[in-house]
Amino acid sequence: MSRRAVVLLSGGLDSATSLAIASAEGFDCYALSFRYGQRHAAELAAAARVARQLSARDHVILDIDLRQFGGSALTEDIPVPKDRPLDDTIPVTYVPARNTIFLSFALAWAEVLEADDIFVGVNALD
């Protein structure tokens, strides 16, 4: 049986790099993205292109709705500032517990696929 891995793929640079690393290490990659109520769909379009380009075995886009909790400019009608302080404060674009939630779905899919590995690339503030 081949080595399988679930790769969380947002469409951003960090997750695209994670998929490239997993692929280069010989994993059969199963990409997982989320439509979680974010205001812009550009990242999901980018994720689909990256998954195709890097030959993911499958690319699932799961629908969950994190707008119910609010607290982020990505899921609420909160302005996104053009200039952000270069310190360690949590930005208004932070979505509370988003990566933890995503990882739980990745773990569930990994169990089904009998995959022992999950790849994730995230920003340190997340």
Side-chain angles (χ1 to χ4, degrees):
M1 184 172 181
S2 63
R3 293 187 320 159
R4 295 177 177 172
V6 174
V7 181
L8 291 177
L9 185 63
S10 70
L13 180 61
D14 297 330
S15 68
T17 301
S18 292
L19 177 56
I21 290 169
S23 182
E25 290 185 5
F27 286 92
D28 286 336
C29 297
Y30 294 79
L32 180 58
S33 302
F34 296 89
R35 187 177 297 108
Y36 59 89
Q38 65 267 49
R39 292 167 45 185
H40 303 289
E43 279 195 340
L44 288 176
R49 287 191 304 273
V50 169
R52 271 192 312 275
Q53 220 33 51
L54 295 176
S55 302
R57 293 280 178 159
D58 195 4
H59 179 214
V60 170
I61 299 175
L62 213 81
D63 289 308
I64 57 176
D65 191 357
L66 298 181
R67 292 175 298 178
Q68 298 298 313
F69 302 129
S72 171
L74 296 185
T75 58
E76 280 190 77
D77 193 18
I78 299 171
V80 177
K82 299 295 182 210
D83 296 314
R84 192 173 112 196
L86 298 175
D87 58 19
D88 289 342
T89 59
I90 296 174
V92 69
T93 54
Y94 170 75
V95 179
R98 172 181 59 185
N99 291 322
T100 304
I101 293 164
F102 293 171
L103 282 165
S104 66
F105 279 96
L107 176 59
W109 197 21
E111 284 185 22
V112 170
L113 294 170
E114 297 182 2
D116 291 328
D117 297 272
I118 297 172
F119 284 75
V120 59
V122 297
N123 180 290
L125 289 177
D126 281 349

